[in-house]
């Protein structure tokens, strides 16, 4: 009986030893698996590869500053940007041709449905900055302000007097959204894309008024902007309550300047790829400081800006 007990105990101890050893071996990751896991972590989808975005040229300076910084942080990422007027950029985005669009409005419901039916990916809009459309005219024009009602009344009756930077651009869409107007059938919209050519036109036609993006003239320390402002001036806007508002960041934040808009990054991408990484970066403190440097209003406010947070939209 003692011999049998000894054998049974020995067998039990041996079994426990083998089981523990096997369990330890199973728990110990192989060098191959460790390298694979490490590789996966090092090659997260937003850190390498190539992609093409589409953006309204109104935001070209901002977009290029973002892209330059992002690709410096992630040198294995290559981003090409196609600049197209807003309506065309949005159309090509919801047609599924681009994973990212940087524009001044979201998709409407029908566009969202069309995109989802085509790609089966639910698009995500991310407001990222605040911009505005401003009205400029020659310094020879006696006007210092103009009312919304006057613009609405005259806009499409004398198209040589009101000039857009581009038809169907963010500025064009913002003006029509605020005024609740549409281009009448048969009316041709006047536009001049080159800013220097636009200024030359305003000087030749002192009563003409042009619609441009706020950030075009917002960097008042820039010698080139200072030179522009000796030839043209920015008009104040009189709203429907007869209140006068100047185009500046404070009035954009509190909503008193009527031609304000949000800048969106629209994303239609599977997983967390370059588009998601870029969007997260643009909304980060680093990305928002770039917005501020480009003389636009950051959408996300940080503690250092707590002073103005109560006035934010």
């Amino acid at each position: 009986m003692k011999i049998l007990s000894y054998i049974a105990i020995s067998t039990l101890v041996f079994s426990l030893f083998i089981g523990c050893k096997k369990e330890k071996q199973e728990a110990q990751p192989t060098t191959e698996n460790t390298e694979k896991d490490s590789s996966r972590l090092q090659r997260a989808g937003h850190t390498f590869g190539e992609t093409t975005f589409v953006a309204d040229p109104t935001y070209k300076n901002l977009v290029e500053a973002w892209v330059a910084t992002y690709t410096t942080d992630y040198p294995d990422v290559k981003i090409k940007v196609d600049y197209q007027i807003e309506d065309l950029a949005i159309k090509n985005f919801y047609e599924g041709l681009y994973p990212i669009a940087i524009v001044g409005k979201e998709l409407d419901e029908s566009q969202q449905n069309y995109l989802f039916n085509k790609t089966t990916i639910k698009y995500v809009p991310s407001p990222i900055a605040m911009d505005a459309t401003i009205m400029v005219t020659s310094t020879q024009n006696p006007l210092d302000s103009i009312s919304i009602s006057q613009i609405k009344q005259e806009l499409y009756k004398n198209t040589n007097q009101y000039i857009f930077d581009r038809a169907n651009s963010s500025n064009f869409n913002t003006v029509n959204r605020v005024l609740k107007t549409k281009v009448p059938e048969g009316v041709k919209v006047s536009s001049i894309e080159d800013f220097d050519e636009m200024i030359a036109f305003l000087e030749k036609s002192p009563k003409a008024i042009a619609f441009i993006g706020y950030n075009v003239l917002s960097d008042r320390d820039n010698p080139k902007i200072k030179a522009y402002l000796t030839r043209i001036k920015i008009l104040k806007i009189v709203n429907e309550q007869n209140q006068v508002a100047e185009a500046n960041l404070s009035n954009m934040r509190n909503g008193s300047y009527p031609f304000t808009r949000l800048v969106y990054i629209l994303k239609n991408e599977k997983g967390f790829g370059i588009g998601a990484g870029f969007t997260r970066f643009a909304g980060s403190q680093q990305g928002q400081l770039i917005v501020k440097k480009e003389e636009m209003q950051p959408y996300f406010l940080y503690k250092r800006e707590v002073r103005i947070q109560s006035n934010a939209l």
Side-chain angles (χ1 to χ4, degrees), residues 5-279:
S5 298
Y6 177 78
I7 292 172
I9 292 169
S10 299
T11 302
L12 178 62
V13 171
F14 181 75
S15 298
L16 289 172
F17 173 76
I18 294 297
C20 290
K21 187 175 181 181
K22 184 178 180 182
E23 194 173 296
K24 187 177 180 182
Q25 286 176 340
E26 287 175 350
Q28 183 69 31
T30 64
T31 304
E32 183 181 355
N33 288 337
T34 303
E35 288 175 353
K36 284 181 180 178
D37 291 341
S38 176
S39 176
R40 288 192 193 102
L41 290 173
Q42 290 173 5
R43 304 296 289 177
H46 67 287
T47 66
F48 70 98
E50 298 182 12
T51 190
T52 302
F53 297 168
V54 65
D56 186 300
T58 303
Y59 313 118
K60 186 173 183 179
N61 291 343
L62 174 62
V63 173
E64 290 188 347
W66 273 339
V67 169
T69 304
Y70 189 83
T71 53
T72 298
D73 290 344
Y74 301 109
D76 289 335
V77 171
K78 307 296 178 188
I79 298 174
K80 179 187 173 186
V81 184
D82 290 342
Y83 292 98
Q84 300 171 0
I85 56 173
E86 184 170 80
D87 285 357
L88 181 59
I90 287 176
K91 181 178 184 299
N92 286 329
F93 174 76
Y94 75 70
E95 287 281 357
L97 301 180
Y98 295 94
I100 292 288
I102 302 170
V103 290
K105 60 180 182 179
E106 299 181 65
L107 298 188
D108 62 33
E109 189 175 353
S110 64
Q111 292 167 341
Q112 293 179 44
N113 292 336
Y114 184 94
L115 177 60
F116 182 77
N117 290 335
K118 191 159 189 175
T119 65
T120 67
I121 306 170
K122 187 175 181 181
Y123 107 107
V124 179
S126 300
I128 218 76
M130 193 179 291
D131 193 20
T133 298
I134 60 175
M135 276 113 259
V136 296
T137 190
S138 168
T139 53
Q140 300 170 52
N141 191 335
L143 280 180
D144 288 318
S145 63
I146 188 169
S147 69
I148 287 180
S149 59
Q150 183 181 344
I151 301 169
K152 187 173 183 177
Q153 184 179 0
E154 298 176 348
L155 182 60
Y156 293 124
K157 288 184 179 178
N158 186 356
T159 54
N160 290 325
Q161 183 179 347
Y162 291 92
I163 313 297
F164 288 94
D165 54 349
R166 298 168 184 84
N168 301 313
S169 67
S170 287
N171 293 311
F172 175 86
N173 288 331
T174 298
V175 169
N176 284 289
R177 172 180 58 80
V178 173
L179 300 179
K180 298 178 182 177
T181 53
K182 291 184 179 179
V183 181
E185 190 175 346
V187 173
K188 186 177 180 181
V189 175
S190 297
S191 64
I192 302 175
E193 292 187 18
D194 184 87
F195 190 55
D196 288 300
E197 289 180 14
M198 180 182 281
I199 292 177
F201 176 84
L202 293 175
E203 289 179 322
K204 290 177 183 177
S205 309
K207 291 186 178 180
I209 295 170
F211 300 99
I212 62 172
Y214 170 80
N215 65 313
V216 174
L217 293 175
S218 56
D219 186 2
R220 303 301 172 84
D221 295 326
N222 186 324
K224 194 171 183 179
I225 304 303
K226 288 181 180 180
Y228 283 146
L229 291 172
T230 63
R231 302 166 64 189
I232 58 173
K233 59 183 174 181
I234 302 170
L235 294 175
K236 298 180 179 68
I237 303 298
V238 182
N239 66 19
E240 293 170 342
Q241 288 75 43
N242 209 34
Q243 298 168 325
V244 181
E246 185 178 348
N248 57 43
L249 296 181
S250 177
N251 288 338
M252 287 162 58
R253 284 194 298 271
N254 63 34
S256 62
Y257 185 76
F259 294 96
T260 301
R261 64 173 171 269
L262 292 174
V263 180
Y264 291 89
I265 297 180
L266 309 183
K267 183 172 71 70
N268 184 53
E269 177 188 67
K270 286 184 178 178
F272 198 93
I274 295 172
F278 185 87
T279 303

Side-chain angles (χ1 to χ4, degrees), residues 59-73 128-129 215 278 281-300 302 304-305:
Y59 313 118
K60 186 173 183 179
N61 291 343
L62 174 62
V63 173
E64 290 188 347
W66 273 339
V67 169
T69 304
Y70 189 83
T71 53
T72 298
D73 290 344
I128 218 76
N215 65 313
F278 185 87
F281 156 75
S284 70
Q285 184 165 8
Q286 186 181 21
Q288 294 290 282
L289 287 174
I290 292 172
V291 173
K292 189 174 181 181
K293 186 179 178 183
E294 292 300 320
E295 303 296 332
M296 296 170 70
Q297 172 60 37
Y299 182 77
F300 299 100
Y302 293 89
R304 67 185 66 182
E305 297 174 280

